[in-house]
Amino acid sequence: MLTYEPGDTIVHRLDPRSKLAVQIGFAATALAHTTPRALVALSALTAVVLVVARVPLLETLYAYRFALVILALGPIVAAATLGSPWIDLDSGLTTALASYRVLLILLVSAAYVRTTPVRHSRAAIQRTIPGKPGQLLGIGVALVFRFLPVLQSDMRTIRDAMAARLGTERGAVDRLTTLGLLGLSRTFDRADRLSLALQARCFSWNPTLPPLSFSRRDAPVLSLSIVLVLTAFL
Amino acid sequence: MATERSDVDLIEGDVVHAFARAALLAALMGAAAIVTIPYPLSPAPVTLQVLVVFLAGLYLGPLWGGASIVLYLAAGAAGAPVFSGMTGGPGVLLAEPTAGFLWTFPVAAALVGLLVHRGTTLIDPADASLPLVVGSLGIGLVLIYAGGMVWFSWLTGTSIVEAGFAVAVPFVPADLLKLAAAIAIVRSGRIDPT
C-alpha cells in the first residue's frame, strides 16, 4: 500500500505547498499535451522525481493496479469498432497515449504521498484556505486519517460477524443493508462521543497551527511548477 | 513559531456535532473501500462507496453531506488510502480515469440532501415519502454516472457511448442494489438523524 515513509531525501524537506504546486503543474501540462514528444519529456521528468524521492516503481505500480486495468481497457474499447474493419488502430493509439500520461501523473503523485506526513498536508490546507472552511477542512482531514483504521476495523468486525451467522448466504440487498445500517450507526455513535470530547477540550476556530515555512530550496521547485503550468498553454 | 494570542473562539455545539458526524462519515466512506462485493462484470472492485454517498445526503443534509464527501476527497488527496483499491494521492483526483465519479460524489450527496430535506433544515428521512426518496437517489445516481462518463471520455479521448460501456454499464446492476439498500436503511428508521 502506498503511504508516507519517513526519510531524509530533499523531497521530504520541501514545503508541502511547493510539492502540491508541482503536482498541479505536472497534471496541467500532461493533460494538455498528448504528443509522443511531450510524453517523452514528461516521462524523463517523472523518472527524475521518482529517483529524487526514492519511490519504488514496482510497488507503486502494484498499488495503482485497479486504475491500470481501467487505463488498459480504454485503448481496447476505443480501438474496437462495430462493423468492418472491427479494429481502428489510430483511435486506439490516441487513447493509449492519453492513458499513458495518466500513469505518469499517478507516479508523480506517489512521490507526494510517500514524502509528505499528514500534519504537513493539514498545515498546508489550513494556511492556504482562509477562514473557517480552511480550519474545518484541515481538522477534518486529520480526523479522517485518525478514524480510518478504527472504522475499517468496525467494518471488518461487522463483516466477520455476518459471515459467522451465515449472512453470506443471504441476498445482496440484505447484506448491503446490514453492512450500511450497522456501519452507519457505529460511525454516528463514535461521532457523537467525539463531538462531546472535542467540546470538552475547547474545540475552537483559532487553534495554534503546526509550523510551516518556505525555505530557499523551495524556490527552484516553485519555479518548476510555474513553468509546468505555463507549458500547458503552449 | 508564531502563537495565537487572541481569545479562544469556541466552535458552537451544533456545528461541532454536525462536523464530527461529517468527518466520521468521510472516514466510513474510506473504510467502505475495503468492503468489496464479488462481482464478475467489473474490472475494478465494487465497493459500498455509492451507498455511503447516498447516506451522507440522506442523514447529514445538503450542507454537511456535501462537506463530508469533500473531506473524504481532501483526505484522499493528502494521501489517505481511501479510494478504490486502497489508493490515495493528488494524482488520483487530478487524472485517474474514474476520477469523474469522485468529483460528482459531493454534488450528488448535496443534491440528494437538498431534494429529501427540501432545504438545509434536517428532517428524519424515514418521514419523507417513499417516491421522494427513491426519486432523489435515482437523480443522484444519474448525476454520478454522467460525471464519470464525461470525465472518462474527455480524459481518454473516447466517445461518450464508449465511455458508458467502459465505466458505467458494468456497474449499473450493483449500484441499483445499493440504491435498494439505502431505501431499506431509511425505511428501517433505526438511524437517529439528530
Side-chain angles (χ1 to χ4, degrees):
Chain A
M1 193 173 74
L2 191 60
T3 168
Y4 168 68
E5 294 276 342
D8 57 355
T9 68
I10 181 92
V11 188
H12 277 86
R13 278 172 278 158
L14 289 172
D15 188 287
R17 288 167 288 185
S18 13
K19 284 188 259 185
L20 278 175
V22 170
Q23 305 289 327
I24 293 167
F26 189 88
T29 191
L31 292 177
H33 304 287
T34 34
T35 57
R37 212 199 306 164
L39 287 177
V40 169
L42 290 170
S43 306
L45 183 60
T46 308
V48 172
V49 171
L50 293 184
V51 169
V52 174
R54 297 211 195 113
V55 177
L57 184 63
L58 288 180
E59 212 177 289
T60 311
L61 288 177
Y62 183 70
Y64 285 123
R65 59 193 178 281
F66 294 117
L68 297 185
V69 171
I70 297 183
L71 280 179
L73 208 65
I76 298 169
V77 175
T81 41
L82 283 179
S84 181
W86 297 103
I87 291 194
D88 178 0
L89 274 184
D90 272 352
S91 164
L93 192 66
T94 316
T95 308
L97 290 176
S99 291
Y100 179 67
R101 69 191 170 162
V102 174
L103 173 65
L104 294 180
I105 296 173
L106 288 178
L107 286 176
V108 171
S109 105
Y112 178 88
V113 175
R114 198 151 174 98
T115 60
T116 317
V118 192
R119 59 179 188 282
H120 281 185
S121 298
R122 176 189 164 183
I125 292 170
Q126 283 176 314
R127 275 157 205 275
T128 311
I129 300 168
K132 294 180 174 180
Q135 291 296 334
L136 287 187
L137 195 60
I139 300 163
V141 166
L143 285 177
V144 173
F145 270 91
R146 171 65 187 82
F147 278 93
L148 183 63
V150 178
L151 295 185
Q152 278 175 342
S153 120
D154 275 357
M155 291 308 274
R156 281 198 200 96
T157 309
I158 296 168
R159 200 183 50 188
D160 293 347
M162 283 168 69
R165 290 164 181 79
L166 288 183
T168 41
E169 306 289 313
R170 288 174 172 243
V173 176
D174 223 16
R175 270 186 289 163
L176 284 170
T177 308
T178 314
L179 273 170
L181 199 58
L182 295 177
L184 190 66
S185 59
R186 278 195 179 210
T187 303
F188 278 179
D189 281 349
R190 287 190 187 280
D192 295 347
R193 267 179 282 155
L194 171 72
S195 137
L196 193 64
L198 285 170
Q199 283 174 280
R201 287 161 183 77
C202 298
F203 186 38
S204 70
W205 288 116
N206 51 351
T208 309
L209 289 179
L212 203 63
S213 66
F214 284 113
S215 65
R216 209 180 297 157
R217 60 177 97 87
D218 285 296
V221 181
L222 276 177
S223 325
L224 171 70
S225 37
I226 294 169
V227 171
L228 284 173
V229 170
L230 289 179
T231 54
F233 297 102
L234 283 182
Chain B
M1 168 181 164
T3 313
E4 291 265 355
R5 284 175 160 273
S6 51
D7 290 335
V8 170
D9 178 11
L10 288 182
I11 302 181
E12 304 75 14
D14 52 338
V15 177
V16 179
H17 179 77
F19 168 70
R21 284 192 162 200
L24 262 66
L25 195 84
L28 179 69
M29 179 91 177
I34 63 163
V35 185
T36 53
I37 308 153
Y39 187 62
L41 282 177
S42 131
V46 171
T47 67
L48 286 184
Q49 293 190 304
V50 173
L51 176 61
V52 182
V53 172
F54 290 153
L55 295 175
L58 287 170
Y59 285 100
L60 297 178
L63 214 59
W64 288 104
S68 168
I69 309 299
V70 169
L71 277 177
Y72 159 78
L73 296 181
V82 291
F83 299 135
S84 75
M86 293 186 79
T87 54
V92 176
L93 279 186
L94 290 173
E96 236 218 12
T98 51
F101 291 99
L102 295 174
W103 285 111
T104 19
F105 279 163
V107 188
L111 186 69
V112 168
L114 194 67
L115 292 173
V116 172
H117 296 277
R118 299 192 189 165
T120 48
T121 326
L122 292 194
I123 56 161
D124 186 347
D127 296 337
S129 73
L130 187 63
L132 178 69
V133 175
V134 177
S136 313
L137 296 180
I139 292 172
L141 193 59
V142 169
L143 187 73
I144 292 171
Y145 275 115
M149 280 158 61
V150 168
W151 175 277
F152 187 85
S153 98
W154 169 76
L155 188 76
T156 57
T158 45
S159 72
I160 284 279
V161 178
E162 288 169 334
F165 279 110
V167 294
V169 174
F171 298 97
V172 171
D175 280 334
L176 289 179
L177 293 182
K178 286 177 231 171
L179 200 147
I183 295 162
I185 291 173
V186 167
R187 302 311 287 179
S188 78
R190 279 171 59 190
I191 305 278
D192 181 12
T194 52

